[in-house]
Amino acid sequence: MTTGEALKKTKRQLHDSGFKLTPQREATLLVLLENEKDHLSAEEIFFFVKQKSPEIGLATVYRTLEILSDLKIVDKVSFDDGVSRYDLRKDGAKHFHHHLLCLECGNIEEIDEDLLGNVEEIVEKRFHFAVKDHRLTFHGICQQCQRKHQES
Ligand SMILES: [Zn+2]
Ligand SMILES: [Zn+2]
């Protein structure tokens, strides 16, 4: 999906929920789309937004991120540093993707497959808990770091 298509889709999502894609929201969303592979904090998003649209304030970016996460267009996620980061939900994904966090280089890889369908069923049955979503981060050593160990 191109950035233009993604933007159009989000515009529709916002519209269906009674929100407009204001220039401020569009600027925030563009930063998220352009840095899809990164996991940016609100401050980092604000930094990029400001480079293009200096008139937009941090509070507006925060508010936009709240709306986008309420609508499940982005997901809030935090890793070892405890900072809230924002992650675009993959197109059509019912669940948030999983992360592989490398403890050595800090690299974060994403897994799109859900893998947890059965686990959710078990949780629902055993704990009578209506599961809406889940967060899963594997902590370990990435392939590149493993190779480095083998070489040395
Ligand atoms: Zn992610
Ligand atoms: Zn690594």
Side-chain angles (χ1 to χ4, degrees):
M1 194 161 52
T2 65
T3 307
E5 284 166 355
L7 211 55
K8 234 198 236 162
K9 205 192 121 223
T10 310
K11 196 172 182 172
R12 214 175 313 126
Q13 268 173 288
L14 281 167
H15 184 261
D16 291 346
S17 313
F19 293 102
K20 277 198 188 112
L21 187 64
T22 59
Q24 295 92 320
R25 287 173 190 157
E26 183 166 334
T28 306
L29 205 60
L30 268 175
V31 167
L32 286 163
L33 285 167
E34 284 162 5
N35 302 280
E36 219 193 320
K37 283 281 153 226
D38 299 315
H39 297 84
L40 300 177
S41 67
E43 283 76 14
E44 286 164 343
I45 293 165
F46 174 58
F47 174 82
F48 287 121
V49 167
K50 237 175 56 176
Q51 289 181 333
K52 288 185 206 168
S53 322
E55 72 284 359
I56 299 176
L58 179 60
T60 305
V61 170
Y62 269 124
R63 226 168 14 239
T64 301
L65 290 171
E66 283 309 311
I67 293 168
L68 294 176
S69 36
D70 283 348
L71 298 178
K72 299 221 176 292
I73 293 166
V74 297
D75 285 293
K76 234 192 251 192
V77 62
S78 75
F79 299 106
D80 278 5
D81 57 8
V83 176
S84 290
R85 300 178 180 280
Y86 295 85
D87 216 355
L88 270 181
R89 191 171 274 245
K90 299 282 185 299
D91 193 30
K94 219 175 112 228
H95 286 283
F96 190 41
H97 55 261
H98 309 316
H99 293 104
L100 306 179
L101 171 65
C102 179
L103 299 171
E104 290 193 8
C105 66
N107 183 51
I108 296 163
E109 230 180 293
E110 302 189 330
I111 310 179
D112 292 331
E113 290 141 84
D114 186 23
L115 307 172
L116 285 183
N118 287 338
V119 177
E120 285 196 351
E121 248 173 65
I122 293 167
V123 169
E124 296 206 336
K125 280 201 189 114
R126 206 172 294 166
F127 300 94
H128 307 285
F129 186 80
V131 177
K132 299 286 180 211
D133 206 351
H134 49 246
R135 293 276 184 279
L136 182 62
T137 303
F138 294 93
H139 296 222
I141 316 288
C142 75
Q143 208 172 17
Q144 260 181 319
C145 288
Q146 289 178 46
R147 279 204 196 115
K148 259 184 248 158
H149 287 301
Q150 283 164 358
E151 282 160 16
S152 58

